[in-house]
Amino acid sequence: MPVRIVYESHATTTDNEAGIATGWLPGRLSPTGRRQAAELGDRRRGTGLDAVYTSDLARAVETARLAFAGAGSPVLRLRDVAAEWDGGQVLLIAHSANRWSLDCLLAGARLESVVADPPPWQPGTFYTLP
C-alpha cells in the first residue's frame, strides 16, 4: 500500500532572518522559528501520523523536538520508509532542497523548473510514496 508523506520545512532560523544560507551548518531556530515549530506541532498533532523523521541537521531536529516533544529520527531512504510504514502516514521535516527532490521524484516536476522557480513555502506538502 502507498505511504502518505507529509513534508514540512524546518522552522525559521537566525540565519534565515539574516539572509544567510546555512548549508551544512547546524543553524539555530530564532524566536519566530520556535513559535513556528510549536504551531507545526499544533497543526499536525492528532492527524494520524505514524512516525516523524527529520534531517540530522540541528535546525530540523530542533523543529521536531519543539513540535512533538522529542520526536524525530534521522530520515531513512524512501524505500525503507515505504517498507516500514506500508499504508501509513509519516511526517518528514527537512529543508527546501529536500522538498524540491520530492517534487521531482514523487510529483513529476522537472529539476530545472523547480530550481528556476522554487515553490513557495506552505504549511505542509503532501506526497504519495508507492
Side-chain angles (χ1 to χ4, degrees):
M1 293 179 64
V3 175
R4 181 177 166 108
I5 295 175
V6 182
Y7 182 85
E8 294 271 1
S9 295
H10 64 76
T12 300
T13 66
T14 55
D15 285 349
N16 295 143
E17 291 178 344
I20 298 169
T22 308
W24 290 100
L25 297 174
R28 294 180 43 150
L29 297 187
S30 68
T32 297
R34 289 191 292 277
R35 179 183 47 76
Q36 290 168 335
E39 290 169 357
L40 167 62
D42 292 342
R43 187 170 59 249
R44 297 292 170 215
R45 199 171 294 107
T47 60
L49 296 173
D50 294 302
V52 177
Y53 291 97
T54 71
S55 157
D56 62 353
L57 294 177
R59 57 195 181 270
V61 173
E62 185 179 4
T63 299
R65 182 179 52 79
L66 291 173
F68 298 100
S73 302
V75 173
L76 302 171
R77 292 177 298 215
L78 287 179
R79 69 174 176 241
D80 295 335
V81 171
E84 186 168 348
W85 298 107
D86 187 26
Q89 177 172 254
V90 299
L91 174 67
L92 300 180
I93 300 173
H95 315 277
S96 296
N98 300 113
R99 177 177 168 206
W100 299 352
S101 296
L102 291 172
D103 284 348
C104 294
L105 291 169
L106 300 177
R110 294 186 39 84
L111 180 59
E112 298 83 5
S113 298
V114 173
V115 171
D117 188 21
W121 181 87
Q122 63 184 44
T125 302
F126 300 90
Y127 302 95
T128 300
L129 180 60

